[in-house]
Amino acid sequence: MGGRQFADRKDLIAHSGYGETSVRAWWRDRDDNGHPPAREIDGVMHWDLTAWSQWAEESTQQRRNLDRIDRGGDPDEELPPAGQARVLGVDPSRITAYGKNPPPGWPDPVRTEKLPTRDREYRTRRQLWEFADGACSRVGTAGGRPPGPDPKVRAAKEAQPDPRVAAAVDALAARPGRKAGEVALELAELHGGSVPVWRRAVTAARKQTR
């Protein structure tokens, strides 16, 4: 259909190896988890196999990352890089890499200790938990955007509107009343990219237009 392969629930289970209970639960909670929308074919629900597989992989990885988070301790305790790594369940080298190439949502340090050869940044457990729980966080993956050459330049870039959100605003205005997943799938097909990324853009667009 349109060059894209669609699969019913049995096909999804056979293709992915996930159990029927999990697959049904994901669809049941679709309003909260960003599950791709269904399309009825011959009276049976089907899903875009590529979009669904990508969503399932990203969701599974995110759950694994969250499972590694240490939720104990004082939320406001200021932790050095080694302590930050223990909270997030990553290698300490990852925290060092974040200093050069921070992922989206990586918090600014609450204080910085000047050492002879480097600066040591401290963050609180509360900051780290919020980072891990954030929609844009990808704990355990490589860093995201590189920092700008100057804090003012970086802030100006971050203040620019997201073109995905702008596209989502236009799509919602053109056909109001559609579900977020349907709009996200349409935008992914038109512009490329993953359905979960477009789902977040649609959510942000709805907040702007309320």
Side-chain angles (χ1 to χ4, degrees):
M1 182 177 295
R4 304 182 73 88
Q5 183 178 358
F6 284 80
D8 62 17
R9 183 172 284 119
K10 290 182 179 179
D11 292 334
L12 293 180
I13 294 170
H15 170 77
S16 67
Y18 293 111
E20 182 175 0
T21 300
S22 295
V23 173
R24 287 185 177 276
W26 291 343
W27 175 247
R28 180 197 63 209
D29 300 332
R30 60 191 178 277
D31 290 339
D32 298 322
N33 61 27
H35 192 292
R39 181 171 297 181
E40 190 170 303
I41 302 175
D42 296 331
V44 178
M45 286 193 302
H46 286 68
W47 291 266
D48 182 312
L49 185 58
T50 299
W52 188 91
S53 298
Q54 186 171 12
W55 170 84
E57 182 178 354
E58 292 181 1
S59 297
T60 300
Q61 183 60 50
Q62 187 175 43
R63 285 193 297 273
R64 288 172 179 168
N65 290 336
L66 291 175
D67 287 343
R68 295 202 303 262
I69 306 303
D70 180 359
R71 302 283 178 173
D74 179 1
D76 297 316
E77 182 181 359
E78 299 176 357
L79 302 175
Q84 297 170 41
R86 284 194 296 272
V87 169
L88 295 179
V90 299
D91 189 272
S93 63
R94 184 60 49 79
I95 304 301
T96 301
Y98 284 175
K100 300 177 181 178
N101 189 25
W106 184 239
D108 293 329
V110 291
R111 68 181 176 92
T112 301
E113 180 182 1
K114 296 290 184 180
L115 300 177
T117 59
R118 69 187 189 281
D119 291 342
R120 178 183 291 158
E121 296 181 343
Y122 288 77
R123 292 173 177 83
T124 66
R125 284 191 174 88
R126 190 189 308 277
Q127 285 181 300
L128 299 170
W129 295 336
E130 291 176 352
F131 165 72
D133 293 337
C136 294
S137 70
R138 292 292 183 270
V139 180
T141 61
R145 63 184 186 279
D150 180 89
K152 293 182 179 179
V153 173
R154 183 176 178 183
K157 288 182 178 179
E158 292 178 349
Q160 294 177 359
D162 187 334
R164 288 187 293 266
V165 176
V169 169
D170 292 340
L172 289 170
R175 294 177 60 190
R178 288 186 297 166
K179 294 182 178 180
E182 295 175 352
V183 179
L185 178 58
E186 177 185 286
L187 291 170
E189 292 175 344
L190 287 174
H191 303 288
S194 71
V195 173
V197 169
W198 280 107
R199 174 90 182 210
R200 290 193 289 270
V202 172
T203 299
R206 281 183 166 171
K207 291 180 180 178
Q208 288 186 11
T209 55
R210 283 174 181 170

